[in-house]
Amino acid sequence: AQKVTQAQTEISVVEKEDVTLDCVYETRDTTYYLFWYKQPPSGELVFLIRRNSFDEQNEISGRYSWNFQKSTSSFNFTITASQVVDSAVYFCALSEEGTGGFKTIFGAGTRLFVKA
Amino acid sequence: GAVVSQHPSWVICKSGTSVKIECRSLDFQATTMFWYRQFPKQSLMLMATSNEGSKATYEQGVEKDKFLINHASLTLSTLTVTSAHPEDSSFYICSAKTSGRPQETQYFGPGTRLLVL
């Protein structure tokens, strides 16, 4: 069965600090997809990144970077030099094509507070 | 990028009434649509999956007679909360997926906040 664990419920940092959001997943499938989404107070999900299970390359996009390690089933997200606008809830998600069809499961989310 | 809209964005209703929420894919054909519910400070929970022209598949614990889903066209799915009660107050989010590549990509709507008084 699919499972996504985001152990950090809330993180509070001061502006310009680096922060890493953890994500650990469980799946029996060899083909799956991992995502990170940002949910600001407005509620609309903002897509940040998608990774498939065959691509373990780390990725950097501006101040954002992602570390995908299949050996530890982790897909961690780092924000470098955090800004107040980064304050939001961040969700890690896992998608796979199971016997019941395509399904996406979300982690519990990590609420990030960036203080000026 | 692909766009998914939801209407209404906000709805307040009296207990016992039914509420319909629309989810539209604006620039692509959505063969599959998903409905999620999110309570305050909680995660998104998948309620049901609907394929165009077929009956929806509901997740365990979701009452199909309470949450009616219709996916009559490739661009529209509706969720009707029947006889709504205060405990149905939540943030409802739909998402849509195409049959083409990348198949794993879902596009999310902006959500509908439902408040049942």
Side-chain angles (χ1 to χ4, degrees), chain A residues 28-97:
Chain A
R28 293 177 185 167
D29 279 9
T30 55
T31 301
Y32 53 88
Y33 305 90
L34 295 164
F35 301 81
W36 275 96
Y37 291 92
K38 175 181 180 180
Q39 188 178 44
S42 65
E44 185 162 1
L45 285 177
V46 177
F47 167 80
L48 296 177
I49 189 171
R50 176 185 68 242
R51 262 283 174 267
N52 71 51
S53 51
F54 300 109
D55 183 3
E56 275 193 84
Q57 269 194 331
N58 291 330
E59 181 157 334
I60 298 175
S61 176
R63 295 184 297 107
Y64 296 167
S65 62
W66 291 269
N67 184 342
F68 176 25
Q69 292 197 340
K70 287 179 74 172
S71 60
T72 55
S73 296
S74 65
F75 186 42
N76 296 337
F77 172 33
T78 297
I79 301 174
T80 304
S82 59
Q83 300 176 0
V84 173
V85 294
D86 295 327
S87 297
V89 180
Y90 290 85
F91 291 99
C92 179
L94 166 69
S95 295
E96 61 187 17
E97 191 81 42

Side-chain angles (χ1 to χ4, degrees), chain B residues 74-101:
Chain B
L74 285 171
T75 59
L76 174 65
S77 175
T78 59
L79 167 68
T80 302
V81 184
T82 61
S83 186
H85 290 285
E87 58 265 29
D88 299 322
S89 299
S90 187
F91 189 47
Y92 292 87
I93 304 173
C94 75
S95 72
K97 189 171 82 74
T98 66
S99 59
R101 288 289 177 182

Side-chain angles (χ1 to χ4, degrees), chain B:
Chain B
V3 178
V4 174
S5 70
Q6 280 184 244
H7 178 80
S9 54
W10 261 102
V11 57
I12 301 173
C13 68
K14 292 182 179 179
S15 187
T17 61
S18 293
V19 175
K20 180 185 282 188
I21 302 170
E22 292 186 348
C23 176
R24 293 182 185 272
S25 56
L26 299 183
D27 54 359
F28 67 100
Q29 292 187 327
T31 50
T32 306
M33 285 186 168
F34 307 87
W35 286 95
Y36 294 84
R37 179 168 56 182
Q38 184 181 30
F39 291 111
K41 296 195 175 183
Q42 293 189 25
S43 185
L44 284 74
M45 300 302 295
L46 180 64
M47 298 174 67
T49 302
S50 73
N51 292 296
E52 186 263 339
S54 304
K55 286 184 179 180
T57 301
Y58 290 81
E59 294 299 301
Q60 196 171 6
V62 178
E63 301 173 57
K64 60 180 70 175
D65 295 331
K66 172 80 172 173
F67 299 98
L68 302 179
I69 292 172
N70 185 287
H71 190 171
S73 78
L74 285 171
T75 59
L76 174 65
S77 175
T78 59
L79 167 68
T80 302
V81 184
T82 61
S83 186
H85 290 285
E87 58 265 29
D88 299 322
S89 299
S90 187
F91 189 47
Y92 292 87
I93 304 173
C94 75
S95 72
K97 189 171 82 74
T98 66
S99 59
R101 288 289 177 182
Q103 291 187 356
E104 71 283 4
T105 299
Q106 287 179 268
Y107 301 95
F108 286 86
T112 297
R113 294 192 187 278
L114 169 63
L115 177 61
V116 185
L117 302 176

